Amino acid sequence: MSAIDLEAIAEARQRLRDKYLNRAAERPQSTARGIHHMAVLSSDVERTIQFYQGILEFPLTDIFENRDYRGSNHFFFDIGNGNALAFFDFPGLDLGDYREVLGGLHHVALSMEPAQWERIKTKLDREGIDYRQIGRSIYFRDPDGTRLELIPEPLGEMNGSRVV
């Protein structure tokens, strides 16, 4: 593995900030209203519901047939502020080791009130779900391997600074 030039990376980051980052007062409003839903694969619908609704306490809001694949379920969980986390299963379609990656998804970060974050962390411990805590964030995987982050910071903030 070759060494990386941290100074060059920092200079490039600053160049990008100078060129593209507008001060908040000058920043145009986004054309988007928010995330309608993020779709992730599920290999077991009931196990996914038990994990997201039972452990993480995200209410299941609907389940219906996927319009793109007969027999497939499309189901949704409320993750707050009008946003949803959605899942598909593909019964009869043997994906084997291949798992669809949506744009190189690294993880899904979910904001929680600090008291809720503490309570869910306790549930993860009780359920024996392995996680890694980095600062105030907890990283772990759902039953299908999707990496999740629970963060007790308000929406639009990262490390105490406004990012939106």
Side-chain angles (χ1 to χ4, degrees), residues 9-61:
I9 292 171
E11 288 172 4
R13 182 182 310 115
Q14 188 59 50
R15 181 185 60 77
L16 293 170
R17 287 176 62 86
D18 293 343
K19 184 174 181 178
Y20 295 107
L21 185 62
N22 294 321
R23 291 192 325 249
E26 299 168 352
R27 196 173 304 142
Q29 187 172 11
S30 176
T31 58
R33 293 188 288 195
I35 294 177
H36 184 277
H37 71 275
M38 172 179 252
V40 184
L41 295 180
S42 167
S43 64
D44 183 318
V45 174
E46 188 167 8
R47 181 181 69 183
T48 299
I49 292 170
Q50 290 170 346
F51 183 81
Y52 282 91
Q53 182 167 266
I55 295 173
L56 298 182
E57 301 179 12
F58 302 157
L60 179 70
T61 60

Side-chain angles (χ1 to χ4, degrees), residues 46-87:
E46 188 167 8
R47 181 181 69 183
T48 299
I49 292 170
Q50 290 170 346
F51 183 81
Y52 282 91
Q53 182 167 266
I55 295 173
L56 298 182
E57 301 179 12
F58 302 157
L60 179 70
T61 60
D62 207 348
I63 181 170
F64 49 84
E65 186 174 62
N66 179 0
R67 67 181 178 212
D68 301 323
Y69 186 81
R70 299 264 331 181
S72 169
N73 292 290
H74 194 190
F75 52 110
F76 296 79
F77 296 93
D78 179 354
I79 57 171
N81 291 302
N83 296 294
L85 186 57
F87 290 83

